[in-house]
Amino acid sequence: MLSLVLAASLAAAPAPRSAPSATTVVHIPQLDKLSGLQAFMSRAGTYAAMARPTTWAAEFHPFLSLDPMRAETLTAVGIDPTGSATVSFLRTGKVSCARLADPKAFQAKAATALAAGGEVKTGTSKGVTTASAPRSSGGRAGYALKGQDVCSFATLQEDDDMLKEAVKLMGKAPAPDARLGKLSGVAFVLQGAMVVGIDGTADGLQAEGTATKLPLPPFQSSGSSPYGTMAPSGLLVSRAQVASTGLSQAVGSVRWSVQQMCATCPPEQIEAMAKTVTEQLTGHIAVLVDSIQVKSSLRTPEGRFFAPRQAIVAEVKDAAKVKAALAPLAQFPGATALEDGYTLALKGGSVLVRQKGPHLVLGNDDAVVRSLLETLPEKGAKLPHAVDFSVDPKKVARGLSQVSLMDVMSNQQLAALFAASAEVGPLLSNSERITGWLDSASGGAHRFSLNWALPPAAGKSSP
């Protein structure tokens, strides 16, 4: 029975005809199903050039000018708009495989396009027809065709290695990829250990994927969360339940941040507090990032630490034990005791540690910490996933816009943020909401989903 179920699932899974050495693969099971994704990209493209369908169309085929989202441009070159297509991006070029409705029409269009670069070499061996020619920009382009399947290529190199790769892809039918069968989408992106399926409408983009190397602790979804009904607003709001095996990793990242900011704080006491707190955590947490306010250079640790105005709350098993474990904070340099915790003055700002019943709150902004404490619900509720999150894209855009030119010129990562602000910032400013969830899967993998919502299209009203 198990073998039958496995066989059925594999039969239903998409089968990309992808190059083994590809760094990134884009697979489209059925080209005529892209209308929803095109609708989203068309609207998003009015604010971000990288989202425009015309931008992506140029990447679809190595040497023919066509738009995979417009059936008439596909049929004009002999490609079947109801068939599948797979584009493999390699370090030295790309290979695009598709199903043909009219092989002769394709060959005629290809011959004209290839001849523009120089002499076209053709051949036929074991049922596979090949053609290749030099490119005017350097390297070679061509295709390998068998029956109604074709793999076209373009390479920066003058040798025929890519042609041989295309011939190999024609040698056997592609195997179903079980990872894609578990995801929804009209197009799939495969990159290393990550696989993402995407779809869209005029009002939003949906993405669903799996990844095995995310820098995240394991999560679990079980029982009622004390933060299940909490609904604060901010740049980022997230609720999660960390698995017991991931608590040390989660607390360790917080401990490292505090130690980096407080060089005079005794590391052995910080480590002892972190150990006790870890043992007392239930795994239920909530994160609130209210906004981003850059007050000093992002090249400095304090600039990066205090730029996001944030707080995190975690449920503890024994509040009295946690309170006793945190008592040494009163003796730390710059520490001030509060009625329900401590504030620790650091270079660039203050860290606050406060308790409210079984809840432990840590934050770097007094107003955000108070807001989080005030929104703690009296009753919990079950969350459908181990992690959920909601992002305010307008606040993200405002945060990205605060990266200074001096920071950009001196830091490659900050330069990337600046580039993202310039390219995606207008789209974020004109977006409604980004929401999603994440669950842990077997083998250290994570499964995730994201919805990027735009305001209702013209002529439509919000529900």
Side-chain angles (χ1 to χ4, degrees), residues 92-110:
T92 58
K94 62 184 172 186
V95 180
S96 177
C97 299
R99 182 76 173 172
L100 299 176
D102 189 340
K104 290 185 177 180
F106 173 84
Q107 287 181 284
K109 292 290 186 180

Side-chain angles (χ1 to χ4, degrees), residues 48 88 117 121 165 177 271 353 371 391:
S88 300
K121 295 182 179 180
E165 185 76 38
D177 191 325
E271 185 173 352
V353 182
S371 174
V391 176

Side-chain angles (χ1 to χ4, degrees), residues 316 319-320 322-323 326 340-341 353-357 359-361 373:
V316 299
V322 172
K323 182 178 181 179
L326 296 175
D340 58 358
V353 182
R354 297 177 62 179
Q355 285 186 258
K356 182 180 180 180
H359 308 292
L360 174 65
V361 179
L373 287 168

Side-chain angles (χ1 to χ4, degrees), residues 251 254-255 258 265-266 269-281 312 314 316 318-332 335-344 351-363:
V251 174
V254 176
R255 176 174 61 85
V258 173
C265 294
Q269 290 189 346
I270 294 179
E271 185 173 352
M273 283 187 287
K275 183 176 183 297
T276 300
V277 169
T278 300
E279 293 170 349
Q280 290 299 318
L281 293 178
I312 180 172
V316 299
D318 190 325
K321 287 185 178 180
V322 172
K323 182 178 181 179
L326 296 175
L329 279 173
Q331 307 303 318
F332 279 27
T336 301
L338 304 174
E339 184 179 351
D340 58 358
Y342 305 90
T343 178
L344 188 62
V351 170
L352 297 100
V353 182
R354 297 177 62 179
Q355 285 186 258
K356 182 180 180 180
H359 308 292
L360 174 65
V361 179
L362 174 70

Side-chain angles (χ1 to χ4, degrees), residues 224-278:
S224 176
S225 166
Y227 313 117
T229 60
M230 190 177 74
S233 61
L235 182 151
L236 167 68
V237 178
S238 178
R239 301 169 298 181
Q241 183 177 5
V242 182
S244 58
T245 54
L247 291 175
S248 293
Q249 179 183 346
V251 174
S253 63
V254 176
R255 176 174 61 85
W256 181 85
S257 296
V258 173
Q259 284 185 301
Q260 187 183 35
M261 295 300 304
C262 186
T264 58
C265 294
E268 66 281 356
Q269 290 189 346
I270 294 179
E271 185 173 352
M273 283 187 287
K275 183 176 183 297
T276 300
V277 169
T278 300

Side-chain angles (χ1 to χ4, degrees), residues 395-430:
K395 287 192 173 185
V396 175
R398 287 195 289 270
L400 289 174
S401 68
Q402 297 178 49
V403 181
S404 73
L405 181 60
M406 290 302 296
D407 286 339
V408 169
M409 295 174 63
S410 61
N411 186 289
Q412 188 174 3
Q413 291 179 326
L414 294 176
L417 280 177
F418 182 81
S421 174
E423 178 59 44
V424 188
L427 174 57
L428 290 167
S429 295
N430 288 276

